[in-house]
Amino acid sequence: MNAVARVVAESNLIQLDREFDFLVPDHLRSAIKTGQRVKFEIGRSKKAHTGFVTELAEQSQYATSELLEIVSESPVLTPEIYSFARQVADRQSVAIGEILALAVPDHMPRIAIQDPRQVELILNPFTEPKLDKPLGVRSAVLSAARNQLFEGDRFPDWAQLFAFHAVEKLIAGQSSILIVPEQSQLRLLKRLFLLAGLGGALVEFGSGQKKSERFQSFHRALLPSATIAIGTRSAIYAPVHNLGIVALFDDLDDSLKEQGSPFTHARELVLMRASNRSLVLAANYRSVEVQRLVEIGYLTDHTLISAPARIAFSEPSLRMDRASFELIREKVDVGPILVLLPRKGNSPAAFCAGCGGKLRCKNCGGPIWEPSAASFACKLCRIGFSSCQDCGTSKAKSGRAGSSRTVSELGKAFPQVLISESTADKQPSKILPSKHIIVSTPGASPVAPNGYSAVLILDCDIWLSSQSLQAEQLAIRDWMEAIELMADDGRAVIAGIPNALGQAITLGQHRQLAKVALQDLQALNLPPVARVAWLQASTEVLLAVLEEVKELGAQELRTELGEQASSLIRFSYQNGPQISSALRRHALKANARLVGANKRRGLRIAMDDWSSL
């Protein structure tokens, strides 16, 4: 008889990160099941908490109070997702309730669950894109950044690779999880499956979903039938039945990382979720993280074989050199042209007309920029510019051109051509088949129906001079994302990059670039070669934490003592579990404290947060 329910709380408090035993009232014993969401009270507090039943037992010496009610009659937390969430919480030193909040949607009793249509397949409608060798169980795939036709429409080679293997698993009665960073890529995958008549097998987990849509998708994935789950980073928690393959595209995209706690990255999560199942990590470039996994033998290395993209480059000189203008003149009548820039606005930076110094906001210290012509304001607080912080001059002058000013400049150079701007804030309503130039920022480039006849990438030095250890890698990622949108006979020019980098990109030597970058990080012993954690606590607590973790093999990189003491530590993957466990113990002992009007955790832990470097 189910007299006792073991429950894990839905809470991000580390103090509640354990299982609690509750008595099951007589009227609930026939209905109680593992995986259900239930309500209960903890301690002296009369506030009702919610959590999930993880186990049922006949008796317990710890159970003294009763469950209040069953919130969801159907189980919503599967054993696999609970085990996965526990694994993630332990790795990131956070409460499992914080992970479960990402994994399980809120209960919505009035939303009807739609059963997916049954899809019966005998043959795969997709043709597997050509690979240099058959995929292994865990594979890293370098895409050619080229498109292939399916049902008269153009799709990237990586998308058709994902689709082919997802359908192979579906035929075998297994489910798939396919993860992409951007909504545009998610729409592309969805359109590909719909063209193949596989809409009935799809379950979508997008970042822009309404709560009701996410609730429906989650419950469709719970059904005991093979499905194809597609989505952004939250799709990794899809409770699909009989998971057979997990695939991730574009692992360097910032959208794949949780910017706040628990600071998880989809790349690490797919490695954990895939376990002994098939795993594919694909990209148009090679990240140092994936290259490390290849070099240690965890992933097998593969290449999608296709005709190489025609890419030329020019070394630093004029912003738009002769090669850039000739490319536009040659291709503007053939099809639309994409011009990629790193920054939007009229000018990404502004300078004092008096002393020439770079302008900063007097209110918050943020950079002054020119969002539109002759309008200067702070990028952070958006307060308008008044005077120079150094000399007091009230006149500002523009810096380098952003996307808005580039539109004006190209309009003067090509008066018979339509020039459109495409950023996160604005998109062109349509793309003309010719005499149309799209000036875009990274991630905002619209897809041309037949591809762009040319891709021109400007201001490359801004990408490469970014204050980041990954500056070159992130730049290559943005450039290859744009080149993927090019037509089969299109040409690309990357203007103003060093000769060695330009030759490597034009020859498709992405592995070699990643290998060199990885060697540099190995010499410095920095991520992804090692792991890092940023800690914040009172001085007394922090010193005690540092003492223990250093005994476990961690290195103290930087420490600042004071009212809000903080420290950055580095440790090996091998020592990760022990250090994570030690941090959890100290977090449990440390009491929350008030800092000003804000309540802070007794020990704040940010695992694997590169922004702290």
Side-chain angles (χ1 to χ4, degrees), residues 326-346:
E326 285 183 352
L327 178 68
I328 295 177
R329 289 195 184 99
E330 177 186 341
K331 292 291 187 177
V332 73
D333 293 325
V334 178
I337 293 175
L338 177 65
V339 178
L340 187 71
L341 301 174
R343 297 173 178 175
K344 66 178 182 178
N346 207 61

Side-chain angles (χ1 to χ4, degrees), residues 179-193:
I179 299 175
V180 292
E182 305 291 346
Q183 287 292 125
S184 58
Q185 296 160 337
L186 180 57
R187 290 192 294 269
L188 178 147
L189 267 183
K190 185 176 180 179
R191 189 171 81 249
L192 177 59
F193 283 111

Side-chain angles (χ1 to χ4, degrees), residues 386-404:
S386 58
S387 60
C388 176
Q389 72 277 12
D390 295 325
C391 68
T393 302
S394 59
K395 290 186 178 180
K397 59 182 180 181
S398 304
R400 191 182 306 217
S403 58
S404 299

Side-chain angles (χ1 to χ4, degrees), residues 141-170:
V141 178
L142 182 60
S143 165
R146 304 295 274 168
N147 289 271
Q148 298 175 351
L149 287 176
F150 180 79
E151 299 294 330
D153 209 342
R154 301 171 72 253
F155 295 94
D157 53 9
W158 62 264
Q160 297 206 40
L161 178 75
F162 283 12
F164 175 84
H165 286 282
V167 173
E168 287 290 287
K169 296 297 180 182
L170 192 67

Side-chain angles (χ1 to χ4, degrees), residues 146 308-311 327 331 452-455 486-492:
R146 304 295 274 168
R310 297 177 62 192
I311 305 172
L327 178 68
K331 292 291 187 177
Y452 290 98
S453 63
V455 173
M486 197 164 61
D488 294 340
D489 58 350
R491 286 176 48 208

Side-chain angles (χ1 to χ4, degrees), residues 282-298:
N284 299 327
Y285 54 89
R286 175 56 56 80
S287 68
V288 291
E289 290 84 357
V290 171
Q291 183 64 26
R292 183 187 74 87
L293 294 171
V294 169
E295 292 190 9
I296 65 175
Y298 189 80

Side-chain angles (χ1 to χ4, degrees), residues 378-589:
C378 176
K379 264 189 178 180
L380 301 181
C381 66
R382 300 184 181 181
I383 293 178
F385 165 72
S386 58
S387 60
C388 176
Q389 72 277 12
D390 295 325
C391 68
T393 302
S394 59
K395 290 186 178 180
K397 59 182 180 181
S398 304
R400 191 182 306 217
S403 58
S404 299
R405 199 159 96 219
T406 303
V407 168
S408 301
E409 292 172 353
L410 288 173
K412 295 175 184 177
F414 301 95
Q416 304 301 319
V417 177
L418 175 64
I419 317 292
S420 301
E421 185 179 8
S422 181
T423 66
D425 304 321
K426 60 174 74 172
Q427 291 277 318
S429 57
K430 64 177 180 178
I431 301 177
L432 301 181
S434 64
K435 291 187 178 298
H436 194 178
I437 298 176
I438 309 292
V439 180
S440 175
T441 52
S445 305
V447 177
N450 297 312
Y452 290 98
S453 63
V455 173
L456 174 60
I457 302 172
L458 301 179
D459 299 337
C460 296
D461 58 316
I462 295 179
W463 267 290
L464 298 175
S465 62
S466 172
Q467 297 297 312
S468 170
L469 293 171
Q470 297 177 296
E472 183 177 283
Q473 288 255 303
L474 294 172
I476 294 171
R477 178 214 164 263
D478 288 343
W479 302 341
M480 295 307 297
E481 181 183 46
I483 289 170
E484 183 185 79
L485 302 176
M486 197 164 61
D488 294 340
D489 58 350
R491 286 176 48 208
V493 169
I494 307 175
I497 58 173
N499 182 66
L501 178 60
Q503 285 188 347
I505 294 175
T506 56
L507 295 174
Q509 297 174 339
H510 296 283
R511 291 183 181 85
Q512 290 84 338
L513 289 171
K515 192 168 186 176
V516 171
L518 181 60
Q519 288 171 350
D520 292 340
L521 292 170
Q522 285 172 335
L524 297 170
N525 195 22
L526 290 175
V529 178
R531 294 183 65 192
V532 295
W534 180 79
L535 313 173
Q536 184 185 59
S538 65
T539 298
E540 181 183 359
V541 170
L542 185 64
L543 292 176
V545 173
L546 291 176
E547 182 180 358
E548 180 171 351
V549 295
K550 284 193 286 186
E551 290 178 357
L552 293 172
Q555 294 176 290
E556 182 182 348
L557 298 181
R558 183 177 69 241
T559 298
E560 298 176 6
L561 300 179
E563 186 179 354
Q564 296 183 50
S566 63
S567 182
L568 181 66
I569 62 172
R570 174 177 60 199
F571 50 94
S572 67
Y573 286 88
Q574 183 178 1
N575 293 336
Q578 295 92 336
I579 289 173
S580 179
S581 179
L583 293 176
R584 175 183 291 275
R585 287 197 305 271
H586 282 278
L588 280 168
K589 291 189 293 184

